[in-house]
Amino acid sequence: MKQIDERDLMFSRINYKKGQENYKDYYTRNPDKKEIDDYLRTLPGLSNEKSSLFHKFGSNLIDSTFNLISDINHLAEGKKNPKIIPLDKNIATKQIKNLGLYFGARSIGITKLSKEILYSHRGRNEKIYGEKIELNHKNLIVFSIEMDKKFINRAPFSEQTIEVAQAYLKAEIIALQIAYYIRQLGYEARAHIDGNYLVYLPLAAQKAGLGEFGNINIIVTKDYGPRIRFAAISTNLPLNYDLPIDFGLKNLCSICNKCVTNCIGRAFSKDGFKQEKCFEIWSKIGTDCGICMNSCPLSQPLSDELRKDITSTNYISKDLAKEIIKYSNDNYNKRNFNSNELNLLSEINY
């Protein structure tokens, strides 16, 4: 698999401004993306007061949380303790996984830090734009954070994005805590957190056995669907690896397609996922939408019997997939949308 260049992600491209060197460099090399990107930059953007779903409390809470994330993500790297505490690989693996779950992760896996997981170049930070990524760590710890379904079921309103931001913050704190701990033991460790990634997290999560790629081009898990966020820690601490899993997601996705049909940005086509179409909706409504996550049957409550069947076999057969879709259609129709505001903040009225 070819390495992904972080410069090509919309989160990077949207920040290239006319007159800056990164703007000139990127569109000299990618002239086909200039017109669409210039258009997207004219739209209000996430949490902007001119966006259609802006709210003076909710949108500012989103901004304040992401500002906090940005202010502390430089802590991803640090010096290790010169005194190494020897650890058996089996004990270290068990300890790191136990700590991750104790700190609040829902699942945690470990994979080899192969070249294809690394981005090829930095793109989101103007000061280090275009910097080739080199990382000599051998192992990658990946973990998931669950997002509360009552918030996700408010998609595309602000409560959904409030929960997304909160999940990124929780993931950042856990990743930093694990990285600091590993460095205290005398081993190198780097946290890979929002705005400061060196790795392509969806692929890392798949290789670490946390889920499978679904139709919406993100990782879907057996227990929470796509209602999760990830972070990671790369390290030279000796660890055992987990293996990728196959829990039958393709059997479900092949007959479901709710994420595709419910997408208000029409970001899915025969050619695959179009990040520009997705980002256009974000930029217009002022939230990160989340309807695709909310639409997945696995992100919603299922009957106890269906959950038992999924858990007992660890696999969604074609027949079981049909039962899941039927239950979802009977109980949630197109998707499980909560039309009632959550009143998270005082005086909030959507």
Side-chain angles (χ1 to χ4, degrees), residues 324-349:
I324 292 171
I325 297 302
K326 184 179 185 305
Y327 183 91
S328 177
N329 289 337
D330 290 346
N331 288 273
Y332 308 123
N333 196 5
K334 290 184 176 181
R335 67 187 184 97
N336 188 11
F337 172 62
N338 178 11
S339 60
N340 299 315
E341 67 271 12
L342 299 180
N343 291 320
L344 176 65
L345 301 173
S346 61
E347 299 179 36
I348 200 166
N349 288 301

mmCIF file with all atom_site columns, all heavy atoms in Angstrom, residues 324-349:
data_model
loop_
_atom_site.group_PDB
_atom_site.id
_atom_site.type_symbol
_atom_site.label_atom_id
_atom_site.label_alt_id
_atom_site.label_comp_id
_atom_site.label_asym_id
_atom_site.label_entity_id
_atom_site.label_seq_id
_atom_site.pdbx_PDB_ins_code
_atom_site.Cartn_x
_atom_site.Cartn_y
_atom_site.Cartn_z
_atom_site.occupancy
_atom_site.B_iso_or_equiv
_atom_site.pdbx_formal_charge
_atom_site.auth_seq_id
_atom_site.auth_comp_id
_atom_site.auth_asym_id
_atom_site.auth_atom_id
_atom_site.pdbx_PDB_model_num
ATOM 1   N N   . ILE A 1 324 ? -29.974 -8.108 11.382 1.00 0.00 ? 324 ILE A N   1
ATOM 2   C CA  . ILE A 1 324 ? -29.575 -6.802 11.927 1.00 0.00 ? 324 ILE A CA  1
ATOM 3   C C   . ILE A 1 324 ? -30.208 -5.673 11.138 1.00 0.00 ? 324 ILE A C   1
ATOM 4   O O   . ILE A 1 324 ? -30.733 -4.707 11.712 1.00 0.00 ? 324 ILE A O   1
ATOM 5   C CB  . ILE A 1 324 ? -28.035 -6.678 11.920 1.00 0.00 ? 324 ILE A CB  1
ATOM 6   C CG1 . ILE A 1 324 ? -27.415 -7.651 12.908 1.00 0.00 ? 324 ILE A CG1 1
ATOM 7   C CG2 . ILE A 1 324 ? -27.606 -5.245 12.258 1.00 0.00 ? 324 ILE A CG2 1
ATOM 8   C CD1 . ILE A 1 324 ? -25.906 -7.759 12.816 1.00 0.00 ? 324 ILE A CD1 1
ATOM 9   N N   . ILE A 1 325 ? -30.191 -5.778 9.816  1.00 0.00 ? 325 ILE A N   1
ATOM 10  C CA  . ILE A 1 325 ? -30.792 -4.745 8.964  1.00 0.00 ? 325 ILE A CA  1
ATOM 11  C C   . ILE A 1 325 ? -32.294 -4.668 9.198  1.00 0.00 ? 325 ILE A C   1
ATOM 12  O O   . ILE A 1 325 ? -32.871 -3.575 9.285  1.00 0.00 ? 325 ILE A O   1
ATOM 13  C CB  . ILE A 1 325 ? -30.502 -5.020 7.480  1.00 0.00 ? 325 ILE A CB  1
ATOM 14  C CG1 . ILE A 1 325 ? -28.997 -4.971 7.203  1.00 0.00 ? 325 ILE A CG1 1
ATOM 15  C CG2 . ILE A 1 325 ? -31.227 -4.002 6.585  1.00 0.00 ? 325 ILE A CG2 1
ATOM 16  C CD1 . ILE A 1 325 ? -28.348 -3.662 7.567  1.00 0.00 ? 325 ILE A CD1 1
ATOM 17  N N   . LYS A 1 326 ? -32.947 -5.810 9.311  1.00 0.00 ? 326 LYS A N   1
ATOM 18  C CA  . LYS A 1 326 ? -34.392 -5.819 9.561  1.00 0.00 ? 326 LYS A CA  1
ATOM 19  C C   . LYS A 1 326 ? -34.712 -5.145 10.889 1.00 0.00 ? 326 LYS A C   1
ATOM 20  O O   . LYS A 1 326 ? -35.654 -4.331 10.980 1.00 0.00 ? 326 LYS A O   1
ATOM 21  C CB  . LYS A 1 326 ? -34.929 -7.246 9.559  1.00 0.00 ? 326 LYS A CB  1
ATOM 22  C CG  . LYS A 1 326 ? -36.463 -7.315 9.715  1.00 0.00 ? 326 LYS A CG  1
ATOM 23  C CD  . LYS A 1 326 ? -36.950 -8.753 9.689  1.00 0.00 ? 326 LYS A CD  1
ATOM 24  C CE  . LYS A 1 326 ? -38.485 -8.789 9.719  1.00 0.00 ? 326 LYS A CE  1
ATOM 25  N NZ  . LYS A 1 326 ? -39.075 -8.054 10.865 1.00 0.00 ? 326 LYS A NZ  1
ATOM 26  N N   . TYR A 1 327 ? -33.954 -5.472 11.921 1.00 0.00 ? 327 TYR A N   1
ATOM 27  C CA  . TYR A 1 327 ? -34.182 -4.844 13.227 1.00 0.00 ? 327 TYR A CA  1
ATOM 28  C C   . TYR A 1 327 ? -33.982 -3.328 13.136 1.00 0.00 ? 327 TYR A C   1
ATOM 29  O O   . TYR A 1 327 ? -34.788 -2.552 13.678 1.00 0.00 ? 327 TYR A O   1
ATOM 30  C CB  . TYR A 1 327 ? -33.230 -5.433 14.268 1.00 0.00 ? 327 TYR A CB  1
ATOM 31  C CG  . TYR A 1 327 ? -33.447 -4.886 15.658 1.00 0.00 ? 327 TYR A CG  1
ATOM 32  C CD1 . TYR A 1 327 ? -34.316 -5.514 16.542 1.00 0.00 ? 327 TYR A CD1 1
ATOM 33  C CD2 . TYR A 1 327 ? -32.799 -3.722 16.090 1.00 0.00 ? 327 TYR A CD2 1
ATOM 34  C CE1 . TYR A 1 327 ? -34.536 -5.011 17.815 1.00 0.00 ? 327 TYR A CE1 1
ATOM 35  C CE2 . TYR A 1 327 ? -33.005 -3.217 17.358 1.00 0.00 ? 327 TYR A CE2 1
ATOM 36  C CZ  . TYR A 1 327 ? -33.881 -3.861 18.217 1.00 0.00 ? 327 TYR A CZ  1
ATOM 37  O OH  . TYR A 1 327 ? -34.099 -3.340 19.469 1.00 0.00 ? 327 TYR A OH  1
ATOM 38  N N   . SER A 1 328 ? -32.925 -2.909 12.453 1.00 0.00 ? 328 SER A N   1
ATOM 39  C CA  . SER A 1 328 ? -32.635 -1.483 12.308 1.00 0.00 ? 328 SER A CA  1
ATOM 40  C C   . SER A 1 328 ? -33.753 -0.771 11.548 1.00 0.00 ? 328 SER A C   1
ATOM 41  O O   . SER A 1 328 ? -34.195 0.311  11.948 1.00 0.00 ? 328 SER A O   1
ATOM 42  C CB  . SER A 1 328 ? -31.295 -1.297 11.580 1.00 0.00 ? 328 SER A CB  1
ATOM 43  O OG  . SER A 1 328 ? -31.022 0.064  11.376 1.00 0.00 ? 328 SER A OG  1
ATOM 44  N N   . ASN A 1 329 ? -34.220 -1.374 10.476 1.00 0.00 ? 329 ASN A N   1
ATOM 45  C CA  . ASN A 1 329 ? -35.296 -0.756 9.689  1.00 0.00 ? 329 ASN A CA  1
ATOM 46  C C   . ASN A 1 329 ? -36.594 -0.681 10.480 1.00 0.00 ? 329 ASN A C   1
ATOM 47  O O   . ASN A 1 329 ? -37.306 0.327  10.423 1.00 0.00 ? 329 ASN A O   1
ATOM 48  C CB  . ASN A 1 329 ? -35.525 -1.549 8.397  1.00 0.00 ? 329 ASN A CB  1
ATOM 49  C CG  . ASN A 1 329 ? -34.391 -1.396 7.406  1.00 0.00 ? 329 ASN A CG  1
ATOM 50  O OD1 . ASN A 1 329 ? -33.647 -0.424 7.458  1.00 0.00 ? 329 ASN A OD1 1
ATOM 51  N ND2 . ASN A 1 329 ? -34.254 -2.353 6.498  1.00 0.00 ? 329 ASN A ND2 1
ATOM 52  N N   . ASP A 1 330 ? -36.891 -1.743 11.215 1.00 0.00 ? 330 ASP A N   1
ATOM 53  C CA  . ASP A 1 330 ? -38.144 -1.786 11.980 1.00 0.00 ? 330 ASP A CA  1
ATOM 54  C C   . ASP A 1 330 ? -38.143 -0.793 13.129 1.00 0.00 ? 330 ASP A C   1
ATOM 55  O O   . ASP A 1 330 ? -39.197 -0.224 13.477 1.00 0.00 ? 330 ASP A O   1
ATOM 56  C CB  . ASP A 1 330 ? -38.377 -3.196 12.541 1.00 0.00 ? 330 ASP A CB  1
ATOM 57  C CG  . ASP A 1 330 ? -38.711 -4.214 11.457 1.00 0.00 ? 330 ASP A CG  1
ATOM 58  O OD1 . ASP A 1 330 ? -39.021 -3.790 10.328 1.00 0.00 ? 330 ASP A OD1 1
ATOM 59  O OD2 . ASP A 1 330 ? -38.642 -5.425 11.753 1.00 0.00 ? 330 ASP A OD2 1
ATOM 60  N N   . ASN A 1 331 ? -36.967 -0.567 13.738 1.00 0.00 ? 331 ASN A N   1
ATOM 61  C CA  . ASN A 1 331 ? -36.908 0.261  14.936 1.00 0.00 ? 331 ASN A CA  1
ATOM 62  C C   . ASN A 1 331 ? -36.448 1.696  14.693 1.00 0.00 ? 331 ASN A C   1
ATOM 63  O O   . ASN A 1 331 ? -36.812 2.599  15.446 1.00 0.00 ? 331 ASN A O   1
ATOM 64  C CB  . ASN A 1 331 ? -35.981 -0.391 15.966 1.00 0.00 ? 331 ASN A CB  1
ATOM 65  C CG  . ASN A 1 331 ? -36.587 -1.628 16.592 1.00 0.00 ? 331 ASN A CG  1
ATOM 66  O OD1 . ASN A 1 331 ? -37.315 -1.541 17.576 1.00 0.00 ? 331 ASN A OD1 1
ATOM 67  N ND2 . ASN A 1 331 ? -36.294 -2.790 16.017 1.00 0.00 ? 331 ASN A ND2 1
ATOM 68  N N   . TYR A 1 332 ? -35.644 1.908  13.658 1.00 0.00 ? 332 TYR A N   1
ATOM 69  C CA  . TYR A 1 332 ? -35.066 3.240  13.448 1.00 0.00 ? 332 TYR A CA  1
ATOM 70  C C   . TYR A 1 332 ? -35.314 3.808  12.063 1.00 0.00 ? 332 TYR A C   1
ATOM 71  O O   . TYR A 1 332 ? -34.881 4.929  11.776 1.00 0.00 ? 332 TYR A O   1
ATOM 72  C CB  . TYR A 1 332 ? -33.540 3.184  13.682 1.00 0.00 ? 332 TYR A CB  1
ATOM 73  C CG  . TYR A 1 332 ? -33.156 2.554  14.994 1.00 0.00 ? 332 TYR A CG  1
ATOM 74  C CD1 . TYR A 1 332 ? -32.305 1.448  15.029 1.00 0.00 ? 332 TYR A CD1 1
ATOM 75  C CD2 . TYR A 1 332 ? -33.652 3.043  16.208 1.00 0.00 ? 332 TYR A CD2 1
ATOM 76  C CE1 . TYR A 1 332 ? -31.952 0.856  16.225 1.00 0.00 ? 332 TYR A CE1 1
ATOM 77  C CE2 . TYR A 1 332 ? -33.306 2.457  17.407 1.00 0.00 ? 332 TYR A CE2 1
ATOM 78  C CZ  . TYR A 1 332 ? -32.454 1.361  17.411 1.00 0.00 ? 332 TYR A CZ  1
ATOM 79  O OH  . TYR A 1 332 ? -32.104 0.766  18.596 1.00 0.00 ? 332 TYR A OH  1
ATOM 80  N N   . ASN A 1 333 ? -35.988 3.037  11.209 1.00 0.00 ? 333 ASN A N   1
ATOM 81  C CA  . ASN A 1 333 ? -36.235 3.472  9.832  1.00 0.00 ? 333 ASN A CA  1
ATOM 82  C C   . ASN A 1 333 ? -34.901 3.804  9.155  1.00 0.00 ? 333 ASN A C   1
ATOM 83  O O   . ASN A 1 333 ? -34.005 2.988  9.126  1.00 0.00 ? 333 ASN A O   1
ATOM 84  C CB  . ASN A 1 333 ? -37.195 4.659  9.806  1.00 0.00 ? 333 ASN A CB  1
ATOM 85  C CG  . ASN A 1 333 ? -37.779 4.907  8.428  1.00 0.00 ? 333 ASN A CG  1
ATOM 86  O OD1 . ASN A 1 333 ? -37.537 4.126  7.503  1.00 0.00 ? 333 ASN A OD1 1
ATOM 87  N ND2 . ASN A 1 333 ? -38.528 5.968  8.284  1.00 0.00 ? 333 ASN A ND2 1
ATOM 88  N N   . LYS A 1 334 ? -34.733 5.032  8.662  1.00 0.00 ? 334 LYS A N   1
ATOM 89  C CA  . LYS A 1 334 ? -33.480 5.388  7.991  1.00 0.00 ? 334 LYS A CA  1
ATOM 90  C C   . LYS A 1 334 ? -32.315 5.494  8.968  1.00 0.00 ? 334 LYS A C   1
ATOM 91  O O   . LYS A 1 334 ? -31.208 5.052  8.695  1.00 0.00 ? 334 LYS A O   1
ATOM 92  C CB  . LYS A 1 334 ? -33.645 6.711  7.237  1.00 0.00 ? 334 LYS A CB  1
ATOM 93  C CG  . LYS A 1 334 ? -34.543 6.631  6.017  1.00 0.00 ? 334 LYS A CG  1
ATOM 94  C CD  . LYS A 1 334 ? -34.561 7.961  5.275  1.00 0.00 ? 334 LYS A CD  1
ATOM 95  C CE  . LYS A 1 334 ? -35.383 7.852  4.001  1.00 0.00 ? 334 LYS A CE  1
ATOM 96  N NZ  . LYS A 1 334 ? -35.394 9.140  3.250  1.00 0.00 ? 334 LYS A NZ  1
ATOM 97  N N   . ARG A 1 335 ? -32.572 6.126  10.135 1.00 0.00 ? 335 ARG A N   1
ATOM 98  C CA  . ARG A 1 335 ? -31.535 6.245  11.150 1.00 0.00 ? 335 ARG A CA  1
ATOM 99  C C   . ARG A 1 335 ? -32.176 6.650  12.458 1.00 0.00 ? 335 ARG A C   1
ATOM 100 O O   . ARG A 1 335 ? -33.316 7.142  12.487 1.00 0.00 ? 335 ARG A O   1
ATOM 101 C CB  . ARG A 1 335 ? -30.445 7.256  10.745 1.00 0.00 ? 335 ARG A CB  1
ATOM 102 C CG  . ARG A 1 335 ? -30.886 8.718  10.660 1.00 0.00 ? 335 ARG A CG  1
ATOM 103 C CD  . ARG A 1 335 ? -29.770 9.590  10.092 1.00 0.00 ? 335 ARG A CD  1
ATOM 104 N NE  . ARG A 1 335 ? -30.128 11.000 10.081 1.00 0.00 ? 335 ARG A NE  1
ATOM 105 C CZ  . ARG A 1 335 ? -29.787 11.885 11.010 1.00 0.00 ? 335 ARG A CZ  1
ATOM 106 N NH1 . ARG A 1 335 ? -29.070 11.484 12.059 1.00 0.00 ? 335 ARG A NH1 1
ATOM 107 N NH2 . ARG A 1 335 ? -30.130 13.144 10.918 1.00 0.00 ? 335 ARG A NH2 1
ATOM 108 N N   . ASN A 1 336 ? -31.450 6.475  13.557 1.00 0.00 ? 336 ASN A N   1
ATOM 109 C CA  . ASN A 1 336 ? -31.980 6.768  14.883 1.00 0.00 ? 336 ASN A CA  1
ATOM 110 C C   . ASN A 1 336 ? -31.677 8.222  15.253 1.00 0.00 ? 336 ASN A C   1
ATOM 111 O O   . ASN A 1 336 ? -30.751 8.499  16.011 1.00 0.00 ? 336 ASN A O   1
ATOM 112 C CB  . ASN A 1 336 ? -31.367 5.816  15.915 1.00 0.00 ? 336 ASN A CB  1
ATOM 113 C CG  . ASN A 1 336 ? -32.027 5.938  17.275 1.00 0.00 ? 336 ASN A CG  1
ATOM 114 O OD1 . ASN A 1 336 ? -33.066 6.572  17.421 1.00 0.00 ? 336 ASN A OD1 1
ATOM 115 N ND2 . ASN A 1 336 ? -31.430 5.321  18.277 1.00 0.00 ? 336 ASN A ND2 1
ATOM 116 N N   . PHE A 1 337 ? -32.471 9.136  14.722 1.00 0.00 ? 337 PHE A N   1
ATOM 117 C CA  . PHE A 1 337 ? -32.244 10.562 14.974 1.00 0.00 ? 337 PHE A CA  1
ATOM 118 C C   . PHE A 1 337 ? -33.027 11.012 16.203 1.00 0.00 ? 337 PHE A C   1
ATOM 119 O O   . PHE A 1 337 ? -34.223 10.754 16.325 1.00 0.00 ? 337 PHE A O   1
ATOM 120 C CB  . PHE A 1 337 ? -32.676 11.388 13.762 1.00 0.00 ? 337 PHE A CB  1
ATOM 121 C CG  . PHE A 1 337 ? -32.654 12.875 13.990 1.00 0.00 ? 337 PHE A CG  1
ATOM 122 C CD1 . PHE A 1 337 ? -31.469 13.523 14.278 1.00 0.00 ? 337 PHE A CD1 1
ATOM 123 C CD2 . PHE A 1 337 ? -33.823 13.612 13.927 1.00 0.00 ? 337 PHE A CD2 1
ATOM 124 C CE1 . PHE A 1 337 ? -31.435 14.889 14.506 1.00 0.00 ? 337 PHE A CE1 1
ATOM 125 C CE2 . PHE A 1 337 ? -33.804 14.978 14.139 1.00 0.00 ? 337 PHE A CE2 1
ATOM 126 C CZ  . PHE A 1 337 ? -32.616 15.615 14.428 1.00 0.00 ? 337 PHE A CZ  1
ATOM 127 N N   . ASN A 1 338 ? -32.356 11.686 17.116 1.00 0.00 ? 338 ASN A N   1
ATOM 128 C CA  . ASN A 1 338 ? -32.995 12.259 18.306 1.00 0.00 ? 338 ASN A CA  1
ATOM 129 C C   . ASN A 1 338 ? -33.336 13.714 18.020 1.00 0.00 ? 338 ASN A C   1
ATOM 130 O O   . ASN A 1 338 ? -32.451 14.561 17.936 1.00 0.00 ? 338 ASN A O   1
ATOM 131 C CB  . ASN A 1 338 ? -32.051 12.157 19.509 1.00 0.00 ? 338 ASN A CB  1
ATOM 132 C CG  . ASN A 1 338 ? -32.642 12.777 20.755 1.00 0.00 ? 338 ASN A CG  1
ATOM 133 O OD1 . ASN A 1 338 ? -33.826 13.105 20.801 1.00 0.00 ? 338 ASN A OD1 1
ATOM 134 N ND2 . ASN A 1 338 ? -31.817 12.937 21.777 1.00 0.00 ? 338 ASN A ND2 1
ATOM 135 N N   . SER A 1 339 ? -34.604 14.009 17.868 1.00 0.00 ? 339 SER A N   1
ATOM 136 C CA  . SER A 1 339 ? -35.030 15.358 17.498 1.00 0.00 ? 339 SER A CA  1
ATOM 137 C C   . SER A 1 339 ? -35.091 16.316 18.684 1.00 0.00 ? 339 SER A C   1
ATOM 138 O O   . SER A 1 339 ? -35.304 17.517 18.517 1.00 0.00 ? 339 SER A O   1
ATOM 139 C CB  . SER A 1 339 ? -36.406 15.316 16.819 1.00 0.00 ? 339 SER A CB  1
ATOM 140 O OG  . SER A 1 339 ? -37.369 14.755 17.698 1.00 0.00 ? 339 SER A OG  1
ATOM 141 N N   . ASN A 1 340 ? -34.891 15.801 19.893 1.00 0.00 ? 340 ASN A N   1
ATOM 142 C CA  . ASN A 1 340 ? -34.967 16.636 21.096 1.00 0.00 ? 340 ASN A CA  1
ATOM 143 C C   . ASN A 1 340 ? -33.581 17.097 21.532 1.00 0.00 ? 340 ASN A C   1
ATOM 144 O O   . ASN A 1 340 ? -32.673 16.279 21.692 1.00 0.00 ? 340 ASN A O   1
ATOM 145 C CB  . ASN A 1 340 ? -35.634 15.869 22.238 1.00 0.00 ? 340 ASN A CB  1
ATOM 146 C CG  . ASN A 1 340 ? -37.054 15.458 21.903 1.00 0.00 ? 340 ASN A CG  1
ATOM 147 O OD1 . ASN A 1 340 ? -37.824 16.260 21.373 1.00 0.00 ? 340 ASN A OD1 1
ATOM 148 N ND2 . ASN A 1 340 ? -37.398 14.222 22.202 1.00 0.00 ? 340 ASN A ND2 1
ATOM 149 N N   . GLU A 1 341 ? -33.438 18.413 21.740 1.00 0.00 ? 341 GLU A N   1
ATOM 150 C CA  . GLU A 1 341 ? -32.146 18.916 22.192 1.00 0.00 ? 341 GLU A CA  1
ATOM 151 C C   . GLU A 1 341 ? -31.804 18.345 23.562 1.00 0.00 ? 341 GLU A C   1
ATOM 152 O O   . GLU A 1 341 ? -32.684 17.972 24.340 1.00 0.00 ? 341 GLU A O   1
ATOM 153 C CB  . GLU A 1 341 ? -32.129 20.448 22.245 1.00 0.00 ? 341 GLU A CB  1
ATOM 154 C CG  . GLU A 1 341 ? -33.038 21.070 23.284 1.00 0.00 ? 341 GLU A CG  1
ATOM 155 C CD  . GLU A 1 341 ? -34.437 21.342 22.768 1.00 0.00 ? 341 GLU A CD  1
ATOM 156 O OE1 . GLU A 1 341 ? -34.780 20.855 21.677 1.00 0.00 ? 341 GLU A OE1 1
ATOM 157 O OE2 . GLU A 1 341 ? -35.197 22.026 23.474 1.00 0.00 ? 341 GLU A OE2 1
ATOM 158 N N   . LEU A 1 342 ? -30.519 18.277 23.869 1.00 0.00 ? 342 LEU A N   1
ATOM 159 C CA  . LEU A 1 342 ? -30.068 17.624 25.092 1.00 0.00 ? 342 LEU A CA  1
ATOM 160 C C   . LEU A 1 342 ? -29.944 18.574 26.269 1.00 0.00 ? 342 LEU A C   1
ATOM 161 O O   . LEU A 1 342 ? -29.741 18.143 27.392 1.00 0.00 ? 342 LEU A O   1
ATOM 162 C CB  . LEU A 1 342 ? -28.707 16.945 24.841 1.00 0.00 ? 342 LEU A CB  1
ATOM 163 C CG  . LEU A 1 342 ? -28.700 15.850 23.775 1.00 0.00 ? 342 LEU A CG  1
ATOM 164 C CD1 . LEU A 1 342 ? -27.300 15.261 23.631 1.00 0.00 ? 342 LEU A CD1 1
ATOM 165 C CD2 . LEU A 1 342 ? -29.686 14.757 24.125 1.00 0.00 ? 342 LEU A CD2 1
ATOM 166 N N   . ASN A 1 343 ? -30.034 19.875 26.000 1.00 0.00 ? 343 ASN A N   1
ATOM 167 C CA  . ASN A 1 343 ? -29.898 20.867 27.064 1.00 0.00 ? 343 ASN A CA  1
ATOM 168 C C   . ASN A 1 343 ? -28.600 20.679 27.846 1.00 0.00 ? 343 ASN A C   1
ATOM 169 O O   . ASN A 1 343 ? -28.572 20.757 29.077 1.00 0.00 ? 343 ASN A O   1
ATOM 170 C CB  . ASN A 1 343 ? -31.109 20.819 28.019 1.00 0.00 ? 343 ASN A CB  1
ATOM 171 C CG  . ASN A 1 343 ? -32.369 21.313 27.357 1.00 0.00 ? 343 ASN A CG  1
ATOM 172 O OD1 . ASN A 1 343 ? -32.356 22.280 26.596 1.00 0.00 ? 343 ASN A OD1 1
ATOM 173 N ND2 . ASN A 1 343 ? -33.454 20.651 27.620 1.00 0.00 ? 343 ASN A ND2 1
ATOM 174 N N   . LEU A 1 344 ? -27.538 20.425 27.127 1.00 0.00 ? 344 LEU A N   1
ATOM 175 C CA  . LEU A 1 344 ? -26.234 20.245 27.766 1.00 0.00 ? 344 LEU A CA  1
ATOM 176 C C   . LEU A 1 344 ? -25.777 21.523 28.448 1.00 0.00 ? 344 LEU A C   1
ATOM 177 O O   . LEU A 1 344 ? -25.215 21.515 29.541 1.00 0.00 ? 344 LEU A O   1
ATOM 178 C CB  . LEU A 1 344 ? -25.210 19.815 26.708 1.00 0.00 ? 344 LEU A CB  1
ATOM 179 C CG  . LEU A 1 344 ? -23.765 19.667 27.173 1.00 0.00 ? 344 LEU A CG  1
ATOM 180 C CD1 . LEU A 1 344 ? -23.657 18.528 28.186 1.00 0.00 ? 344 LEU A CD1 1
ATOM 181 C CD2 . LEU A 1 344 ? -22.842 19.420 26.001 1.00 0.00 ? 344 LEU A CD2 1
ATOM 182 N N   . LEU A 1 345 ? -26.049 22.647 27.800 1.00 0.00 ? 345 LEU A N   1
ATOM 183 C CA  . LEU A 1 345 ? -25.657 23.939 28.334 1.00 0.00 ? 345 LEU A CA  1
ATOM 184 C C   . LEU A 1 345 ? -26.913 24.748 28.676 1.00 0.00 ? 345 LEU A C   1
ATOM 185 O O   . LEU A 1 345 ? -27.945 24.626 28.037 1.00 0.00 ? 345 LEU A O   1
ATOM 186 C CB  . LEU A 1 345 ? -24.837 24.713 27.297 1.00 0.00 ? 345 LEU A CB  1
ATOM 187 C CG  . LEU A 1 345 ? -23.553 24.010 26.832 1.00 0.00 ? 345 LEU A CG  1
ATOM 188 C CD1 . LEU A 1 345 ? -22.919 24.770 25.689 1.00 0.00 ? 345 LEU A CD1 1
ATOM 189 C CD2 . LEU A 1 345 ? -22.578 23.842 27.979 1.00 0.00 ? 345 LEU A CD2 1
ATOM 190 N N   . SER A 1 346 ? -26.811 25.584 29.694 1.00 0.00 ? 346 SER A N   1
ATOM 191 C CA  . SER A 1 346 ? -27.961 26.399 30.082 1.00 0.00 ? 346 SER A CA  1
ATOM 192 C C   . SER A 1 346 ? -28.373 27.311 28.942 1.00 0.00 ? 346 SER A C   1
ATOM 193 O O   . SER A 1 346 ? -27.559 27.811 28.179 1.00 0.00 ? 346 SER A O   1
ATOM 194 C CB  . SER A 1 346 ? -27.625 27.240 31.318 1.00 0.00 ? 346 SER A CB  1
ATOM 195 O OG  . SER A 1 346 ? -26.535 28.123 31.045 1.00 0.00 ? 346 SER A OG  1
ATOM 196 N N   . GLU A 1 347 ? -29.673 27.495 28.800 1.00 0.00 ? 347 GLU A N   1
ATOM 197 C CA  . GLU A 1 347 ? -30.288 28.370 27.797 1.00 0.00 ? 347 GLU A CA  1
ATOM 198 C C   . GLU A 1 347 ? -30.051 27.908 26.358 1.00 0.00 ? 347 GLU A C   1
ATOM 199 O O   . GLU A 1 347 ? -30.284 28.658 25.425 1.00 0.00 ? 347 GLU A O   1
ATOM 200 C CB  . GLU A 1 347 ? -29.757 29.803 27.939 1.00 0.00 ? 347 GLU A CB  1
ATOM 201 C CG  . GLU A 1 347 ? -30.049 30.440 29.287 1.00 0.00 ? 347 GLU A CG  1
ATOM 202 C CD  . GLU A 1 347 ? -29.482 31.855 29.358 1.00 0.00 ? 347 GLU A CD  1
ATOM 203 O OE1 . GLU A 1 347 ? -29.508 32.547 28.315 1.00 0.00 ? 347 GLU A OE1 1
ATOM 204 O OE2 . GLU A 1 347 ? -29.028 32.233 30.434 1.00 0.00 ? 347 GLU A OE2 1
ATOM 205 N N   . ILE A 1 348 ? -29.623 26.648 26.187 1.00 0.00 ? 348 ILE A N   1
ATOM 206 C CA  . ILE A 1 348 ? -29.352 26.203 24.831 1.00 0.00 ? 348 ILE A CA  1
ATOM 207 C C   . ILE A 1 348 ? -30.668 25.786 24.174 1.00 0.00 ? 348 ILE A C   1
ATOM 208 O O   . ILE A 1 348 ? -31.463 25.068 24.740 1.00 0.00 ? 348 ILE A O   1
ATOM 209 C CB  . ILE A 1 348 ? -28.359 25.028 24.838 1.00 0.00 ? 348 ILE A CB  1
ATOM 210 C CG1 . ILE A 1 348 ? -27.705 24.893 23.476 1.00 0.00 ? 348 ILE A CG1 1
ATOM 211 C CG2 . ILE A 1 348 ? -28.933 23.730 25.247 1.00 0.00 ? 348 ILE A CG2 1
ATOM 212 C CD1 . ILE A 1 348 ? -26.481 23.998 23.482 1.00 0.00 ? 348 ILE A CD1 1
ATOM 213 N N   . ASN A 1 349 ? -30.925 26.298 23.002 1.00 0.00 ? 349 ASN A N   1
ATOM 214 C CA  . ASN A 1 349 ? -32.135 25.973 22.266 1.00 0.00 ? 349 ASN A CA  1
ATOM 215 C C   . ASN A 1 349 ? -31.768 25.820 20.791 1.00 0.00 ? 349 ASN A C   1
ATOM 216 O O   . ASN A 1 349 ? -31.382 26.775 20.135 1.00 0.00 ? 349 ASN A O   1
ATOM 217 C CB  . ASN A 1 349 ? -33.169 27.093 22.405 1.00 0.00 ? 349 ASN A CB  1
ATOM 218 C CG  . ASN A 1 349 ? -33.772 27.144 23.796 1.00 0.00 ? 349 ASN A CG  1
ATOM 219 O OD1 . ASN A 1 349 ? -34.365 26.180 24.247 1.00 0.00 ? 349 ASN A OD1 1
ATOM 220 N ND2 . ASN A 1 349 ? -33.607 28.275 24.469 1.00 0.00 ? 349 ASN A ND2 1
#
